[in-house]
Amino acid sequence: GTFTGKSYVPSVINNTIGVDGKCAETGKNFKIGGPFWTAPIHDLEVVDEAVKRVENPRDYGQPHDPLPTSKRLHGLLTTVSEELSDCPLYYLLPDLASTCRAQVPPRGTFLAQLEELGYRVSATHKEADAIKTDAPNDVIWDLMRNWVRLNPIAAK
C-alpha cells in the first residue's frame, strides 16, 4: 500500500483506482469508506477442526445427536474453508447487474467464466450473491457488458 496525505491506501485499492483517482470504467471519482481489514479473517486450522466436529460429533465426546443446525453450520464452515483469503473484497452480482441495468447473471455461470479465463474465484460466507476473485475490475465489467449484450432487457 501507499500513504496519501494522512491516509493509508492498501494495495487492493491501489490496483483498482487509476493514477488520477478516477475509475477506469466510468471516469468518475471513487468514494472509499473504511477502515477495512485486508488480512485473512479466518484461521483455517480452526475451521477445519470445526468441520470435523460437526461431521463426527461422537468422535469428539459429544454424547448427543447432531445439532439441529449442523447441516447449515457445515455449509457455512465449508464456504469459509473454500473462500479466497487473499482477496478481502467481493462483488455483489445484483449490484453489478443494477449498475448495468440488466438481469442478474447466474452465479455459477459468472464463476465459470472467470475460471475459464484463468482467474481464481470463490463464494463468500458473508453474502449469498457475492463472489471473490483475483480478476481485475476491467475483466468483471467486460463480462457484465457481454452478459448485457447476450441478455438484453426488453424495453417497456
Side-chain angles (χ1 to χ4, degrees):
T2 57
F3 283 97
T4 58
K6 296 185 224 171
S7 62
Y8 174 74
V9 179
S11 58
V12 68
I13 297 298
N14 270 347
N15 296 336
T16 304
I17 299 175
V19 180
D20 59 357
K22 299 196 183 285
C23 173
E25 298 297 319
T26 66
K28 298 193 178 187
N29 290 327
F30 269 93
K31 293 180 183 174
I32 300 174
F36 56 89
W37 188 261
T38 59
I41 59 173
H42 307 293
D43 181 335
L44 292 181
E45 288 180 24
V46 172
V47 173
D48 290 341
E49 181 66 21
V51 168
K52 290 176 189 171
R53 288 176 179 257
V54 169
E55 289 175 341
N56 304 301
R58 293 193 192 278
D59 293 350
Y60 293 89
Q62 300 294 328
H64 54 76
D65 291 330
L67 297 169
T69 59
S70 62
K71 284 185 182 180
R72 199 170 99 205
L73 182 57
H74 187 271
L76 174 64
L77 292 168
T78 301
T79 300
V80 166
S81 71
E82 295 171 352
E83 193 171 326
L84 295 177
S85 62
D86 59 338
C87 299
L89 304 178
Y90 55 84
Y91 296 93
L92 286 165
L93 290 176
D95 289 355
L96 294 173
S98 175
T99 299
C100 296
R101 293 182 178 91
Q103 295 176 352
V104 179
R107 191 167 149 268
T109 301
F110 204 81
L111 295 175
Q113 289 176 335
L114 286 167
E115 287 175 339
E116 286 175 19
L117 292 170
Y119 296 103
R120 295 178 307 128
V121 65
S122 75
T124 177
H125 73 284
K126 178 77 173 109
E127 300 278 348
D129 292 327
I131 59 165
K132 287 182 137 187
T133 183
D134 59 354
N137 280 342
D138 61 326
V139 171
I140 299 297
W141 290 111
D142 284 348
L143 288 176
M144 285 304 301
R145 281 188 284 270
N146 191 51
W147 169 256
V148 172
R149 184 179 60 79
L150 296 173
N151 301 279
I153 294 180
K156 291 185 179 181

